[in-house]
Amino acid sequence: MPPEERIELLGRILTASDQPLRSRAAAAIVLLYAQPLTRVVRLTIDDVVHDGDLVLLHLGEPASPVPKPVAEILLAWIDSRTNMNTATNRDSCWLFPGRRTGQPMHPETLGGLLKALGVLNVPGRTSAMRQHVQQMPAPVVADALGYHHITTTKLAAEAAVVWSRYVTTPRLRSPTGWTPLTTRDS
């Protein structure tokens, strides 16, 4: 997924107030923080830290800052999580609680919700990760997003490979009889 397409998709998710908060919150985590759905469903409400105007998401160390529009969606979702009315789920700490007692939502279920929004998990994650490793050193990205440093280093190398294989046009030859100006000629 090209970066422009990912940013446009993220913009639609942030402004689509007619869509479910759960889907929008999960999609934002995938598109901004390159998180696989297996990790997204394992997040707890304690992983979202709200300190005054600052909202952080614990994915690695240090916790990642959450931009204000995404923070508003996350906080609204926490206040209105579904599957909380059963006697066994009332105190669930999962950010995306499942229907089973004490269990988070299944990744495939969440994937279906994201697909309904037009967000494909793997292309969205890959696009986000490539942007991160192009803007920051791979080990920093690994620590912040909870990835292994070898994974982010490989992704950084793959992102750079595109440019190392870039074919340039052949150099143009000077026309016959043409001689360049030298400093003595000026």
Side-chain angles (χ1 to χ4, degrees), residues 40-180:
V40 173
V41 297
R42 304 298 294 177
L43 292 171
T44 66
I45 57 174
D46 294 333
D47 290 322
V48 180
V49 179
H50 186 205
D51 184 19
D53 290 340
L54 184 64
V55 176
L56 302 170
L57 185 59
H58 274 283
L59 302 168
E61 288 300 326
S64 299
V66 180
K68 188 173 180 168
V70 176
E72 290 171 357
I73 290 172
L74 278 175
L75 296 175
W77 166 242
I78 289 172
D79 290 340
S80 65
R81 290 178 299 155
T82 54
N83 298 333
M84 299 300 294
N85 294 331
T86 62
T88 55
N89 239 11
R90 243 177 253 278
D91 298 322
S92 177
C93 65
W94 298 113
L95 185 57
F96 300 99
R99 292 185 179 172
R100 297 178 125 186
T101 305
Q103 295 296 313
M105 179 179 277
H106 195 278
E108 288 181 17
T109 304
L110 190 57
L113 296 173
L114 295 187
K115 192 173 183 180
L117 283 178
V119 176
L120 299 177
N121 179 37
V122 174
R125 267 189 13 234
T126 304
S127 179
M129 183 59 78
R130 282 180 183 246
Q131 180 179 356
H132 288 304
V133 296
Q134 288 173 348
Q135 294 177 339
M136 295 179 282
V140 172
V141 174
D143 289 345
L145 299 181
Y147 278 86
H148 193 277
H149 68 91
I150 291 176
T151 303
T152 56
T153 301
K154 283 181 182 178
L155 288 169
E158 287 173 10
V161 165
V162 173
W163 292 107
S164 68
R165 292 185 181 170
Y166 186 76
V167 179
T168 60
T169 57
R171 295 182 184 223
L172 297 175
R173 292 190 176 147
S174 302
T176 306
W178 179 83
T179 55

